[in-house]
Amino acid sequence: MLVISGNSDIKSSIIMSNSTLDGGDGTGSFGNVMVLGVPQADGSFTDLSVQLAGTFQKLVLVASQATVTAMSGAIVNEIGVAAANKNDQVTLQGTINNVDVFQVGKLEISDGSAINTITVYANTHIIVDKTAAVGGITKENNAMVTLDGDGA
């Protein structure tokens, strides 16, 4: 577990392994966080599991296949999804204010999750699980969105 304490202010963080980040009360910051699996010989990246606790006011950018969980009580303002491999699946769990999708094969919103707004900038397949809630989806740049799942 990586924990920010006091008013520590890191400019940016790159996460390349399964991790739990605790942003504390928001007086400190991990800066912009990039979630990026380790590159493999076939061009894919390792699948990561990253948990977010505490407060994240700055961007969390998911750049490869991963499951990102906003833990109970976490405040996560913005997650960007720009997977390096357009066939990657990114799964989001928990309560997240805004999600911006720049590139991904599939975006899954897991059961029990609550996303205020998803803004899609590229063709995307979004899977909304049965008990997940999405406040709204906005399409930019003539993006096409395929909605699927029991909560769609």
Side-chain angles (χ1 to χ4, degrees):
M1 177 183 282
L2 301 171
V3 179
I4 285 292
S5 63
N7 61 357
S8 298
D9 191 18
I10 298 171
K11 295 205 183 295
S12 65
S13 304
I14 299 174
I15 306 304
M16 297 182 78
S17 64
N18 295 336
S19 304
T20 299
L21 305 177
D22 187 340
D25 63 4
T27 55
S29 172
F30 282 104
N32 291 328
V33 175
M34 178 185 283
V35 176
L36 179 63
V38 177
Q40 303 298 300
D42 66 359
S44 67
F45 292 84
T46 54
D47 189 7
L48 295 182
S49 175
V50 176
Q51 297 178 326
L52 306 175
T55 301
F56 289 81
Q57 292 296 337
K58 295 185 179 177
L59 175 67
V60 175
L61 180 66
V62 183
S64 65
Q65 185 158 301
T67 297
V68 178
T69 302
M71 297 174 71
S72 179
I75 299 170
V76 179
N77 187 48
E78 180 180 14
I79 290 185
V81 178
N85 182 337
K86 66 179 180 179
N87 296 318
D88 284 349
Q89 177 169 320
V90 172
T91 301
L92 300 178
Q93 299 174 340
T95 301
I96 301 162
N97 191 31
N98 296 306
V99 175
D100 294 320
V101 180
F102 301 102
Q103 177 173 302
V104 68
K106 292 181 183 175
L107 174 66
E108 180 177 4
I109 310 301
S110 293
D111 277 328
S113 298
I115 310 292
N116 185 39
T117 304
I118 298 175
T119 304
V120 179
Y121 295 90
N123 297 349
T124 303
H125 181 182
I126 300 175
I127 302 163
V128 181
D129 290 347
K130 188 174 186 175
T131 63
V134 176
I137 297 175
T138 303
K139 298 181 282 186
E140 300 288 341
N141 302 333
N142 296 315
M144 305 249 324
V145 175
T146 301
L147 280 176
D148 200 359
D150 293 334

